[in-house]
Amino acid sequence: MDHLNKLCETSSQQQKVTPGQSKGPHHTDYLRVLKRYLVVKYIQYMILPSTNIVVLAAGAFGTLHVLVLLLSQTVSKKSTAVFISHLAAADAMLVPAILLEVCHQMVDIKFASDSFIRGLIHNLLVVNTNVSSLILSCISLETFLITQFPMESRHVRTVRQARKTSVLVWITVLIECIILQTECIAAPEPEEFCLSALFQYFLLIAPTVRGLFDNLLICFRFLNVFFYYKVYTSKSHSRHLSNRTGHCS
């Protein structure tokens, strides 16, 4: 589990705290919470991915604690914290998904077709899963850069870049889901030429977009394995050198 701990220690490595603060109980407590939260999210989205709404809702319970923690003054406002906040925000997509599911089961919704509601619920879960997976990959990449290129990558590992990357992830995934939602919408009237042409275009590229994102997420899972392998081997090598130095002295 050393490579997972390395990931979670990113936020502490980027902070500037006094010796008294680093040893304080609050500092230790929030780091432990963030470590556990990231481990759970990696298991949930990278190791055992599932779009089951019950599984996702169970994983969202820890998000409430993390969101409160991120709003406190004890947590470093660095790039890793930005990524973690967007990871927690992705679970907010579960709220409308659960509400729609409950309403759909208990109330006969008249304003939309059954296929539209089902598609919308599914795409809200897709937003949650894809945003979480991409944000976790960003955290993995950041951990890899800290371990392998700490000085060279400092200009990349900034709060501003983390915010830009997170916004880009959200925009990309939302566009994907808008395109996929057209498969669940009735075709517009032929008189509305522009809207009809856009609808037909989205309908045409929807299977390609779905396949592209599915393959992209699989590639990111392999990249995560590579990043953690490099982090783990680098840390093991550092320990080996430290032990040799200790024996020599």
Side-chain angles (χ1 to χ4, degrees):
M1 298 295 290
D2 286 343
H3 54 295
L4 288 174
N5 288 334
K6 184 69 178 179
L7 161 70
C8 307
E9 288 165 3
T10 304
S11 57
S12 62
Q13 290 179 2
Q14 296 183 58
Q15 301 181 81
K16 293 183 179 179
V17 296
T18 61
Q21 290 174 319
S22 62
K23 296 179 182 179
H26 295 293
H27 177 82
T28 304
D29 289 344
Y30 89 72
L31 282 181
R32 286 177 180 173
V33 171
L34 293 182
K35 284 180 181 180
R36 291 168 184 167
Y37 178 70
L38 285 175
V39 169
V40 168
K41 288 301 176 182
Y42 265 92
I43 294 174
Q44 183 180 353
Y45 292 107
M46 292 297 183
I47 300 176
L48 300 172
S50 173
T51 56
N52 185 281
I53 196 165
V54 177
V55 175
L56 295 176
F61 279 116
T63 299
L64 298 175
H65 187 191
V66 170
L67 285 175
V68 173
L69 191 62
L70 290 171
L71 293 174
S72 68
Q73 297 298 319
T74 57
V75 179
S76 171
K77 309 302 181 186
K78 298 297 182 180
S79 56
T80 305
V82 172
F83 284 130
I84 293 175
S85 66
H86 282 274
L87 181 62
D91 282 342
M93 294 294 102
L94 295 176
V95 175
I98 293 173
L99 291 177
L100 278 173
E101 181 68 31
V102 172
C103 292
H104 185 63
Q105 295 294 333
M106 299 181 64
V107 182
D108 186 16
I109 301 176
K110 301 292 186 181
F111 64 86
S113 65
D114 182 75
S115 62
F116 179 84
I117 298 297
R118 286 294 179 188
L120 185 58
I121 293 171
H122 174 74
N123 286 325
L124 287 171
L125 297 180
V126 168
V127 172
N128 169 260
T129 302
N130 289 2
V131 169
S132 298
S133 299
L134 293 176
I135 293 294
L136 285 169
S137 298
C138 292
I139 298 175
S140 305
L141 175 60
E142 185 181 38
T143 306
F144 171 76
L145 292 176
I146 289 173
T147 306
Q148 302 295 323
F149 311 102
M151 299 303 297
E152 299 90 333
S153 63
R154 290 185 68 178
H155 68 286
V156 178
R157 296 181 288 104
T158 62
V159 172
R160 183 179 180 184
Q161 293 295 339
R163 287 173 178 165
K164 285 183 178 180
T165 303
S166 300
V167 170
L168 181 61
V169 166
W170 277 99
I171 292 174
T172 304
V173 174
L174 288 175
I175 290 175
E176 173 208 6
C177 290
I178 290 172
I179 293 173
L180 296 182
Q181 187 65 27
T182 58
E183 295 180 320
C184 309
I185 301 175
E189 296 296 329
E191 292 78 10
E192 301 175 359
F193 177 76
C194 293
L195 186 60
S196 178
L198 183 62
F199 175 83
Q200 293 298 330
Y201 176 71
F202 282 176
L203 201 60
L204 180 65
I205 65 173
T208 304
V209 170
R210 182 186 294 106
L212 178 63
F213 268 84
D214 289 344
N215 291 324
L216 187 65
L217 292 179
I218 292 173
C219 291
F220 275 122
R221 289 193 183 103
F222 282 109
L223 279 175
N224 275 273
V225 173
F226 170 75
F227 289 150
Y228 291 135
Y229 169 76
K230 296 298 290 185
V231 169
Y232 179 79
T233 55
S234 177
K235 192 171 183 179
S236 300
H237 182 66
S238 299
R239 284 179 177 175
H240 179 67
L241 290 179
S242 178
N243 291 335
R244 288 187 61 183
T245 304
H247 289 313
C248 292
S249 60

